[in-house]
Amino acid sequence: QVQLVESGGGLVKPGGSLTLSCVASGFTFTDYYMSWIRQAPGKGLEWVSYISDSGRTKYYEDSVKGRFIISRDNAKNSVYLQMNSLRVEDTAVYYCMSHGNDYWGQGTLVTVAS
Amino acid sequence: QAVVTQETSLTVSPGGTVILTCGSTTGPVTSGHYPYWFQQRPGQAPRTLIYNASNKHPWTPARFSGSLLGGKAALTLSGAQPEDEADYYCMLSYSGARPRVFGTGTKVTVL
């Protein structure tokens, strides 16, 4: 069955870095764009970034532009989100989603606090 | 910068019908915005119900349907069940540097 499994979340200090991973299984990963979407505690969903199937096209939400980098390794069925210069307001559950078949992972919590 | 608007909350009786809408501050929502609808039950990850305004996935219950209505995207729930109590989010696609925008979300209560 289809699975998206995120990992890499945790507690980090403001200004720190973290890299999230999302491993896909059960579908042909190379056929789909992938997104990262986040949800701050008690808040709504916010699209963060997406990457095309080839990895050549990438987009970012304005608030993370220049700080976050999305990438993918099609040989490992994985998409990554490298998060630098983290801020308190980046605290959220981060989900990965595959576009086209529209599956979601269960999310990984990132907490930015001193 | 586009803002996607949704009702804050709606209440529906068990077995009743409710319509959720999704608007855009840039103008009418069209099929070119490829509207999506997501359901998020308390404590769970979101799941996709509707894509491209009206298309369902195999897991989408038949009581949910999507459409374009009066310049907005709409999600109709007909025959509400207790398990439909959840937050519902729409998402629209735009050209340019900010290609995906989520709506503010609607909390649906079945009461």
Side-chain angles (χ1 to χ4, degrees), chain A residues 3-102:
Chain A
Q3 271 197 306
L4 294 172
V5 180
E6 301 96 336
S7 61
L11 174 63
V12 61
K13 288 181 167 44
S17 297
L18 214 53
T19 297
L20 307 183
S21 301
C22 169
V23 180
S25 60
F27 65 96
T28 305
F29 183 70
T30 52
D31 284 349
Y32 297 97
Y33 284 40
M34 297 293 296
S35 272
W36 286 98
I37 293 151
R38 67 185 180 183
Q39 187 170 36
K43 301 296 184 184
L45 300 174
E46 180 183 36
W47 173 79
V48 174
S49 180
Y50 86 60
I51 187 168
S52 63
D53 47 3
S54 66
R56 281 195 284 267
T57 301
K58 304 173 186 180
Y59 285 103
Y60 300 93
E61 167 63 34
D62 284 347
S63 63
V64 309
K65 214 172 284 186
R67 299 189 298 124
F68 290 10
I69 300 171
I70 192 170
S71 62
R72 65 190 294 160
D73 185 338
N74 285 342
K76 295 183 177 178
N77 285 357
S78 294
V79 61
Y80 307 98
L81 188 68
Q82 181 183 337
M83 303 186 295
N84 303 314
S85 302
L86 281 162
R87 304 168 180 167
V88 170
E89 54 265 34
D90 295 319
T91 295
V93 175
Y94 284 73
Y95 298 99
C96 66
M97 177 192 168
S98 55
H99 288 278
N101 55 12
D102 303 328

